[in-house]
Amino acid sequence: MNVDETLSAPLADLSPTTVVPPPWLKMLIQIARNCLVVTVILALLALVFGSILRPALEAVNVNEELTALLSWLLIAAIPPALYLTVGFTARTLRNAHPARALVVALLAATLVYGATLLWNAAFPAAQAAQGQPSLEMTFAQADSGVVIESIVAGSAAEQAGLRVGDVITAIRRESIDLAALQSRIEEEPLGTPFRLRVQRDGEEFQVTVNSIASATGAGNAALSRAAAGRAVALVVTAVGLLVPFNWLPYLLLGVTLLPLLLGYTWLIVATFSQETHGLLPVDSTGSLGGLTLSNWDFLTEVSRRGSVWTYTLNSFAIAVIMTAALLVLCSMAAYALSRMEFRGRRLFLSFTLILHGFPAVTLLIPIYLVLLNLGALPIIGEYIGFNTLGGIALVEIAFGMPFGVWLMKGFFDNISWDMERSALIDGANRWRTFWEIILPQIRPGLFALGIFSFVGGWNTYLIPATFSTGTRIANLPVYIQQLLGETNPINWNEIAAIGLFQMIPILILFVFAQEYLLNIYSGGSKGSS
Amino acid sequence: MKVDIEQLNKSFGTVVAVHDLNLDIRAGEFVAFLGPSGCGKTTTLLMIAGIYKPTGGVIRFGERVVNTVQPRDRNIGMVFQSYALYPHMSVFENIAYPLKLKGVSKDEQRVRVQRSADVMGIGDLLHRRPGQLSGGQQQRVALGRALVKEPDVLLFDEPLSNLDARLRLTMRGEIKALQKRLGITSIYVTHDQVEALTMADRIAVMNEGLLEAYDTPDDLYDHPKTLFIASFVGNPPMNILPIQAALEGDAVILQNDALRLPVRSERALKAAQQHGDLLMGVRPEDVTLSADGALCGEVFVVEPLGREDMIDVRIGQHRLAALVTTEKRIRAGNRVRLDINADKLQFFDPASKRSILWT
Amino acid sequence: MHCAPTATGTFLGMGMAAVTTTQSKRTSSGRPNLTAYLFLMPAVVLVVLFFLIPTILVLYISMTNLTSANFTADIAQMEFIGFANFTTLFNDQFAQKILFNTLFYVLVTMAIFNVGASLFVSLLTTHINRRASFVFRALWLLPRITAGTVYIMMWRRMIADPPFGILNQALGAVGGTPITGSEYVWTFVVIVNGMIGMSFGMVIFTAAIESISKDIMNAALVDGSTMLQRIRYIILPLLRWPLLFVISYQTLSLLTSYEQILLLTNGGPGLYQTEVWALTAYHRALSNYFGNAQWGYGSAFAVVLVVIGVLLAALYMRVFRFRDLVAEPKIETL
Ligand SMILES: Nc1ncnc2c1ncn2[C@@H]1O[C@H](COP(=O)(O)OP(=O)(O)O)[C@@H](O)[C@H]1O
Ligand SMILES: [Mg+2]
């Protein structure tokens, strides 16, 4: 039903000749129609992916991952889409007619089932690829160890020299029985090398065999996956129908946010643990526990790379210089562009707009040359050249400027002309008007740009990493990356702590200025309309 | 300070906002710019203020040509429709701002701001922010700010149109009285003719960038030189009827397809000398109910205005508005007889749209 | 940052203004205005130093055979080789793969996250409790304000091998087989970038949806439309300009951003597996990936992006009718 129909509905009621269908019939028709549409779309999609896109992609030999990714997209998108379509129409039924709602739920489930079948038809290969890992051998338990019963001809195991009747006693030095071997094979990811200790005729030697996806196991796995998928879809449908509708958006939002929530949770947990397995803090033996504050020792310690406070200071300096300069620079330029008449105004404006989409980050090579030349200037060169804080800040300021100018221009555009005229008549010149009358009006804009610049300057990695060498002027993000790139074992937990430490000012800003951050993109837009 | 405007022109791209404007404003005079929205009043005012640069022509303050003089050097005060108060400054700071820019000492600022505020009756609001004031109070602050530096010329751009009807009435009187007391040359832009008629010494009527008339309120009302002025000035507006005038003995017969009106008046005689089609103007208050009136028509609409009713009478396909006392209890559908005050008639040439009585 | 010097909603306003503005055009006969030039000067100096000169330089360097071996900061001493670098580029067997990678990366990230997810989230958050919606949007904003290195560290832990990886731990809990990051490397590249990129669209779409007059929505409610109908017939049509803006702007952002990929995969794990065009320009010139930094050749890659960037920017100016937007100042210079 579309809006037009809705609009004309009352008129239809008045006209005596129209037969008004009973509401439940209307509803059913609606549901049926929606279901039909969804099914058709699904079938078409399956067709497109299965018989056109996939071969086409294989032919041009792109990433197989495109297909894999699209598959995942479909898998992830179809159940919610289905639920949405069916659930939305069924929702109105739920309160008044629970029985009908149940019918709709069953209908939805059937549809999901049908979708999965279509899916299987479309992506047989995609599932085979996800088969169980195997060593392409079959085993039997014997007293001395695990006996190889058969080997797939031409397999890696055969090529490695294994034969039927060999006895596997251990993986590396761990002795092993049949159950343990099989569970190890299944648990390790595909491609894991197994170094098997093998006995043959009383001789002992080692063979390394990589696990690969087995063709036989794949079928079962695919089936169980399909079943799991259907179960999930059913549960989703049922939950969607039974849980009050208002919860659905929260549920969807929560689910999509999950990766982020997990990531940030890890960051926090990790900083207070010796090690982490997933999200769980563990101690050095791998059992639960091991909470510690030692990761934060970096605050007081001076490591081989120097104290963290040096880097913090550098971060701070870059951010503050950048913020201050951008505020002054952008508001001045934006004021002129927004409110002054001069030759070349249009040119400047279009130039700013082009800069706005300019791929400046790809110009790091010539900018390096510019910095080298700036560094060669007498007196000031020492502060703004390559490998100086000033130089880094300058590049940052330049990169941040097009955005800042447009943002501020939007704010300036909004200010009443009468107020500025009034100031001029009262006796001010443009310069004073700008500082005394106009700037105080755009405090929200200054605040927004300030926060944004500070966050940008505080977080910047690419420019300091490119235009500085060594540790003298490295900032926190560069420092963190240096730690992550170390060759000796990475102490993830300490780095996590430094990462969290780096985030603290941002989080504080975030709590207090969330609204400004959220409105930053739209703030500048108000003026121009 | 007298203000002279000669051949003033202003265009925005292809839009001509002001065309060949000539005006002389005497020192101490209160002149209103009156005209429909978009006719170029504000543009003219802003050129006088130095905000817009004239495309052509000369503006003189006294004997000085001010065309390229910066606004701050013109010693003017201006009151805007939006008040244009500085929201981040208190009322005191707002009023003191022009003085601060002039470099007046802090002590003197305080004295002069207080004086100006007292004149405007906002002496006790000085510590407040504009946001905490009512519309009327904000308007007073704006006026105080414009007055505080004792300007040579005061400019008003529809200062009262954001106020409610009652307040507008009060402020109208106050501004007028203040201007007379201080004797500052003032230019007052408005689209409200009642404001212009009641406040101004002279009114410059503008239409589509052109000066239509520049006269005293009485002259504009009683001796409109053009059809535009006749129909624009006066509320309710003047009735305009196409007519032919012919001399018949000592009476003049005014007639068209639906009416025939014998009148005796000097003005009608003048009209009768003009052969051919004419446009006759008559104000609704000059149309009266009369049992033996020469005009007969059906009342179409009755609009109660309080003390009087305005009735819209159809005579043939012509319409005639008249003001009648409510006691007559005229209802729509009634047939009425009307008479016209022949001494107040106006006549216009349909081609040139100019009055044939006044030149 | 992910989106270069990240974008602005000015475009959005522009889009809308383009529909509403009917202001008469006029060719400004502005005067040289010293005050205005003074206001602009600092900005102009920076633009010249870090945009204009580098652009000219990059054009020139791309026609030299500058490498770290024969490096010189003196332009006169560079060896000019004409378009040789570009010829090499077009015949480079990897350039094709990199181009394909770039297209894949831009299109997929854009479709799923920068437009798809952001629209999805803004539609949802504008239909729930206001406070809750703020919390959700704020959370979505987190990736954008987290330092790239920290954010990527988080993700590297997310997809780490068992027992460390968060994803694998969860998979293990439900009995799934562990995955490795390198198996699904593109998936993660897209997700990692998309989660940052989507907040841009989200903020713009949210603002646009919230600015839809309440009267229209109420009228639709009175008409008895369902939420889906309102989305389909009222909200989406009104989002045309913001959508166009987000798509066009984010294309450019995605095309030219490479910091996240640099940190996450550095173009690997396979040979050029996740290398994108902008990253190549960086690699060739600034990281000693192949021992010898080929500045000239790297610049050729950059030039291609610069050309695309300028063309796209010019295109946007047409689409968003730039000229209509630039209102004339209402104070003139005497
Ligand atoms: N800054 C400007 N740019 C372009 N056109 C303008 C500008 N200011 C006024 N105009 C045009 O000039 C004409 C006169 O405007 P204005 O003086 O404001 O009229 P009003 O008599 O209502 O005050 C109008 O058509 C208006 O559109
Ligand atoms: Mg006006």
Side-chain angles (χ1 to χ4, degrees):
Chain A
M1 186 192 256
N2 60 32
V3 169
D4 291 343
E5 283 171 48
T6 329
L7 284 172
S8 59
L11 292 176
D13 286 345
L14 294 176
S15 113
T17 51
T18 324
V19 182
V20 183
W24 62 267
L25 185 61
K26 255 179 149 171
M27 182 74 77
L28 272 188
I29 293 172
Q30 251 179 53
I31 295 169
R33 207 195 61 176
N34 289 343
C35 292
L36 192 72
V37 169
V38 172
T39 320
V40 168
I41 291 175
L42 284 179
L44 281 178
L45 275 179
L47 198 72
V48 169
F49 282 114
S51 57
I52 303 173
L53 203 57
R54 238 165 66 84
L57 288 169
E58 272 162 14
V60 292
N61 200 6
V62 208
N63 274 289
E64 307 147 17
E65 280 191 50
L66 176 59
T67 18
L69 195 75
L70 288 172
S71 324
W72 274 107
L73 175 65
L74 279 183
I75 288 180
I78 286 171
L82 262 174
Y83 163 68
L84 279 176
T85 333
V86 181
F88 267 109
T89 27
R91 181 174 67 86
T92 34
L93 285 172
R94 186 172 52 84
N95 295 327
H97 314 281
R100 278 182 219 160
L102 204 66
V103 172
V104 171
L106 283 176
L107 207 63
T110 321
L111 260 172
V112 173
Y113 182 77
T116 328
L117 285 185
L118 281 171
W119 181 257
N120 289 347
F123 291 103
Q127 291 178 351
Q130 293 161 11
Q132 295 284 323
S134 103
L135 295 184
E136 297 170 294
M137 296 181 273
T138 52
F139 310 102
Q141 180 73 46
D143 293 342
S144 48
V146 182
V147 181
I148 300 176
E149 277 197 319
S150 69
I151 299 180
V152 176
S155 66
E158 197 184 50
Q159 281 165 12
L162 288 173
R163 284 188 227 141
V164 175
D166 290 349
V167 179
I168 300 169
T169 51
I171 298 179
R172 294 181 188 235
R173 298 193 185 286
E174 263 176 74
S175 41
I176 206 157
D177 62 356
L178 180 60
L181 176 64
Q182 274 170 348
S183 69
R184 277 292 288 275
I185 295 173
E186 274 174 32
E187 275 166 18
E188 299 293 337
L190 286 175
T192 312
F194 286 87
R195 199 185 297 173
L196 305 172
R197 193 173 284 267
V198 181
Q199 275 185 345
R200 183 192 299 162
D201 309 333
E203 238 181 279
E204 201 173 50
F205 57 95
Q206 281 197 5
V207 177
T208 305
V209 181
N210 288 356
S211 73
I212 64 157
S214 79
T216 46
N220 290 333
L223 267 186
S224 63
R225 259 160 217 265
R230 273 198 298 282
V232 168
L234 245 176
V235 169
V236 168
T237 315
V239 166
L241 283 171
L242 299 178
V243 168
F245 171 70
N246 305 352
W247 290 53
L248 181 68
Y250 296 95
L251 197 79
L252 288 174
L253 284 170
V255 168
T256 41
L257 259 178
L258 209 59
L260 286 185
L261 294 180
L262 291 177
Y264 286 97
T265 312
W266 170 77
L267 191 66
I268 293 167
V269 171
T271 51
F272 298 107
S273 349
Q274 288 174 7
E275 273 179 37
T276 50
H277 285 175
L279 287 180
L280 303 174
V282 295
D283 57 23
S284 49
T285 62
S287 48
L288 212 60
L291 291 179
T292 174
L293 280 178
S294 63
N295 293 323
W296 291 89
D297 288 346
F298 69 87
L299 287 177
T300 48
E301 270 173 15
V302 177
S303 75
R304 186 167 51 80
R305 292 176 180 275
S307 162
V308 74
W309 292 105
T310 324
Y311 302 102
T312 313
L313 211 65
N314 286 337
S315 268
F316 193 72
I318 294 176
V320 167
I321 297 175
M322 185 174 157
T323 309
L326 274 179
L327 283 181
V328 174
L329 227 106
C330 293
S331 44
M332 273 171 60
Y335 175 75
L337 288 176
S338 163
R339 301 182 79 86
M340 288 178 126
E341 190 204 19
F342 56 91
R343 181 169 296 159
R345 178 166 175 267
R346 276 178 179 283
L347 188 81
F348 274 101
L349 273 169
S350 40
F351 208 69
T352 330
L353 190 66
I354 288 189
L355 287 186
H356 208 41
F358 197 78
V361 267
T362 55
L363 290 188
L364 296 185
I365 309 160
I367 287 175
Y368 173 58
L369 291 186
V370 170
L371 281 181
L372 281 185
N373 282 312
L374 282 183
L377 289 178
I379 308 165
I380 53 165
E382 228 172 288
Y383 305 102
I384 58 172
F386 176 73
N387 207 14
T388 62
L389 273 182
I392 289 170
L394 266 187
V395 179
E396 294 278 352
I397 294 163
F399 282 13
M401 211 177 51
F403 163 72
V405 170
W406 272 95
L407 178 79
M408 294 317 283
K409 181 179 176 293
F411 280 97
F412 282 119
D413 284 347
N414 276 337
I415 294 188
S416 134
W417 280 100
D418 277 353
M419 194 179 316
E420 190 165 3
R421 289 166 177 168
S422 175
L424 291 180
I425 290 169
D426 281 348
N429 55 23
R430 289 310 278 270
W431 184 249
R432 274 193 96 147
T433 313
F434 170 69
W435 288 104
E436 290 178 5
I437 305 297
I438 306 295
L439 271 193
Q441 314 297 318
I442 55 155
R443 252 177 299 194
L446 291 172
F447 203 42
L449 179 61
I451 290 167
F452 194 79
S453 310
F454 188 86
V455 172
W458 182 258
N459 283 341
T460 182
Y461 165 74
L462 200 56
I463 291 169
T466 314
F467 295 131
S468 69
T469 55
T471 56
R472 190 172 59 84
I473 59 162
N475 66 352
L476 278 173
V478 172
Y479 177 54
I480 290 170
Q481 195 57 26
Q482 283 172 356
L483 291 178
L484 283 172
E486 266 176 5
T487 38
N488 43 332
I490 299 171
N491 183 352
W492 284 91
N493 299 69
E494 186 179 350
I495 303 177
I498 300 175
L500 193 63
F501 170 74
Q502 193 270 347
M503 279 191 76
I504 288 173
I506 301 290
L507 289 177
I508 292 174
L509 263 184
F510 191 53
V511 169
F512 287 105
Q514 196 218 100
E515 222 157 309
Y516 285 99
L517 275 168
L518 272 173
N519 289 333
I520 185 114
Y521 304 110
S522 39
S525 70
K526 287 175 203 143
S528 38
S529 41
Chain B
M1 175 82 66
K2 78 183 174 80
V3 177
D4 273 325
I5 295 171
E6 277 169 29
Q7 292 295 321
L8 192 64
N9 274 287
K10 177 74 193 172
S11 41
F12 297 102
T14 52
V15 183
V16 178
V18 177
H19 187 70
D20 281 350
L21 186 74
N22 287 294
L23 271 184
D24 63 298
I25 298 163
R26 294 190 278 268
E29 195 174 22
F30 192 120
V31 168
F33 287 178
L34 177 64
S37 191
C39 72
K41 310 178 297 281
T42 302
T43 307
T44 312
L45 202 67
L46 288 176
M47 281 192 284
I48 296 172
I51 301 294
Y52 284 164
K53 183 186 173 79
T55 326
V58 177
I59 301 172
R60 267 196 210 94
F61 282 13
E63 295 312 319
R64 183 167 69 135
V65 175
V66 294
N67 278 31
T68 55
V69 176
Q70 294 299 320
R72 61 176 175 276
D73 300 324
R74 296 191 181 201
N75 196 25
I76 48 181
M78 183 156 174
V79 181
F80 294 87
Q81 177 175 354
S82 58
Y83 317 135
L85 298 179
Y86 312 127
H88 58 292
M89 299 183 183
S90 68
V91 168
F92 177 88
E93 287 165 324
N94 261 283
I95 300 181
Y97 192 60
L99 300 178
K100 182 179 151 197
L101 291 171
K102 265 188 171 179
V104 172
S105 76
K106 280 255 168 2
D107 289 331
E108 197 185 336
Q109 278 182 32
R110 216 164 295 130
V111 174
R112 283 171 68 175
V113 168
Q114 190 64 51
R115 194 165 55 204
S116 168
D118 286 340
V119 168
M120 295 314 305
I122 46 168
D124 49 347
L125 302 177
L126 287 178
H127 55 278
R128 294 216 201 158
R129 289 281 165 112
Q132 304 164 318
L133 300 179
S134 70
Q137 287 167 332
Q138 289 188 41
Q139 188 57 277
R140 284 164 200 268
V141 176
L143 203 53
R145 187 179 62 185
L147 284 175
V148 75
K149 64 174 175 183
E150 291 160 10
D152 294 331
V153 180
L154 258 179
L155 306 174
F156 299 86
D157 190 0
E158 316 214 7
L160 303 184
S161 46
N162 282 355
L163 300 179
D164 64 65
R166 267 196 66 140
L167 202 54
R168 211 178 301 171
L169 212 71
T170 331
M171 289 299 290
R172 214 201 272 164
E174 278 184 36
I175 291 177
K176 173 77 187 161
L178 196 69
Q179 193 269 338
K180 278 283 149 288
R181 183 151 61 86
L182 300 175
I184 304 175
T185 313
S186 301
I187 304 173
Y188 188 102
V189 160
T190 177
H191 64 263
D192 178 351
Q193 47 165 306
V194 182
E195 251 170 45
L197 290 170
T198 52
M199 297 171 83
D201 298 328
R202 278 196 289 173
I203 300 176
V205 184
M206 295 181 68
N207 187 29
E208 293 179 5
L210 290 166
L211 184 67
E212 285 276 342
Y214 184 38
D215 248 329
T216 61
D218 291 343
D219 266 345
L220 284 182
Y221 196 81
D222 295 329
H223 309 291
K225 289 197 180 94
T226 64
L227 187 64
F228 172 79
I229 294 172
S231 49
F232 185 73
V233 177
N235 191 17
M238 185 182 277
N239 297 297
I240 307 288
L241 298 169
I243 216 123
Q244 287 179 324
L247 208 56
E248 213 176 272
D250 58 344
V252 177
I253 307 292
L254 303 169
Q255 66 178 1
N256 62 19
D257 53 351
L259 58 85
R260 182 186 157 81
L261 187 67
V263 295
R264 257 170 261 269
S265 84
E266 225 172 285
R267 292 185 182 183
L269 274 173
K270 237 184 191 164
Q273 285 153 19
Q274 202 92 10
H275 294 287
D277 292 334
L278 289 175
L279 290 173
M280 177 182 82
V282 55
R283 295 204 183 271
E285 58 262 39
D286 296 327
V287 182
T288 47
L289 285 175
S290 117
D292 53 351
L295 299 174
C296 179
E298 183 185 329
V299 177
F300 216 72
V301 181
V302 179
E303 223 179 289
L305 297 180
R307 195 154 48 85
E308 290 168 315
D309 283 343
M310 186 166 84
I311 59 173
D312 187 355
V313 184
R314 292 282 163 103
I315 302 169
Q317 28 154 307
H318 303 286
R319 300 171 49 176
L320 196 64
L323 284 175
V324 299
T325 57
T326 46
E327 283 132 46
K328 299 274 197 233
R329 297 194 182 281
I330 307 280
R331 292 288 169 266
N334 292 3
R335 289 197 72 81
V336 292
R337 288 197 158 274
L338 299 168
D339 208 354
I340 277 175
N341 181 351
D343 292 329
K344 293 286 181 72
L345 289 177
Q346 308 282 350
F347 294 95
F348 303 93
D349 176 17
S352 68
K353 306 254 174 3
R354 305 194 69 82
S355 173
I356 58 174
L357 303 179
W358 334 105
T359 46
Chain C
M1 284 235 94
H2 172 61
C3 293
T6 320
T8 168
T10 316
F11 264 101
L12 165 68
M14 291 174 50
M16 305 193 145
V19 197
T20 53
T21 314
T22 52
Q23 233 217 352
S24 65
K25 288 178 190 174
R26 70 184 242 235
T27 42
S28 172
S29 64
R31 281 151 284 275
N33 178 346
L34 213 65
T35 328
Y37 294 147
L38 281 177
F39 270 100
L40 279 171
M41 189 143 80
V44 170
V45 169
L46 281 187
V47 168
V48 170
L49 273 182
F50 294 107
F51 289 96
L52 214 59
I53 294 181
T55 309
I56 297 166
L57 270 180
V58 84
L59 284 173
Y60 183 75
I61 298 175
S62 72
M63 298 183 199
T64 69
N65 68 351
L66 193 67
T67 63
S68 52
N70 65 3
F71 173 73
T72 166
D74 182 357
I75 300 162
Q77 288 177 17
M78 298 176 188
E79 191 182 333
F80 189 80
I81 56 167
F83 288 96
N85 281 328
F86 291 92
T87 328
T88 323
L89 194 159
F90 289 120
N91 295 322
D92 190 330
Q93 50 165 337
F94 292 114
Q96 207 184 348
K97 172 153 180 65
I98 293 166
L99 184 69
F100 236 97
N101 281 346
T102 313
L103 289 180
F104 170 77
Y105 162 69
V106 170
L107 290 181
V108 172
T109 315
M110 170 79 78
I112 302 179
F113 284 98
N114 294 32
V115 172
S118 60
L119 195 59
F120 181 69
V121 168
S122 12
L123 282 173
L124 283 179
T125 49
T126 44
H127 285 90
I128 60 173
N129 173 293
R130 225 182 131 66
R131 275 168 176 273
S133 75
F134 263 103
V135 173
F136 277 115
R137 269 180 246 142
L139 288 174
W140 271 117
L141 210 62
L142 269 175
R144 194 175 282 274
I145 60 163
T146 307
T149 45
V150 177
Y151 178 71
I152 295 298
M153 171 170 69
M154 236 168 65
W155 273 99
R156 281 170 63 176
R157 269 314 263 221
M158 185 85 85
I159 55 183
D161 292 336
F164 307 109
I166 299 167
L167 205 61
N168 279 328
Q169 195 198 34
L171 271 176
V174 296
T177 41
I179 59 159
T180 60
S182 49
E183 246 180 293
Y184 293 96
V185 60
W186 267 117
T187 313
F188 286 113
V189 166
V190 167
I191 293 178
V192 166
N193 280 286
M195 288 232 157
I196 306 176
M198 65 84 64
S199 55
F200 177 82
M202 176 190 76
V203 170
I204 289 194
F205 294 144
T206 308
I209 294 173
E210 282 184 344
S211 72
I212 294 174
S213 127
K214 290 279 167 292
D215 290 345
I216 299 181
M217 294 310 268
N218 285 339
L221 271 175
V222 171
D223 289 342
S225 59
T226 65
M227 185 164 129
L228 277 186
Q229 286 172 337
R230 286 197 298 279
I231 290 174
R232 166 71 188 80
Y233 293 102
I234 298 173
I235 297 180
L236 285 185
L238 287 175
L239 284 188
R240 217 186 64 211
W241 279 106
L243 258 174
L244 194 60
F245 163 62
V246 169
I247 291 174
S248 46
Y249 195 81
Q250 294 289 76
T251 316
L252 205 58
S253 298
L254 284 170
L255 210 54
T256 57
S257 72
Y258 55 90
E259 187 178 323
Q260 268 69 27
I261 301 183
L262 174 75
L263 292 172
L264 188 68
T265 68
N266 199 16
L271 191 59
Y272 292 115
Q273 196 177 355
T274 55
E275 182 105 346
V276 291
W277 200 270
L279 186 58
T280 314
Y282 181 85
H283 273 151
R284 292 283 173 167
L286 289 165
S287 96
N288 286 356
Y289 203 55
F290 295 95
N292 186 9
Q294 301 160 286
W295 288 44
Y297 193 38
S299 295
F301 275 89
V303 165
V304 172
L305 271 188
V306 167
V307 170
I308 295 176
V310 171
L311 286 181
L312 279 182
L315 186 74
Y316 302 159
M317 277 170 59
R318 286 208 84 87
V319 171
F320 292 104
R321 278 176 255 166
F322 169 75
R323 295 198 145 256
D324 288 357
L325 277 167
V326 188
E328 292 299 326
K330 294 196 167 60
I331 291 179
E332 296 177 352
T333 320
L334 298 182

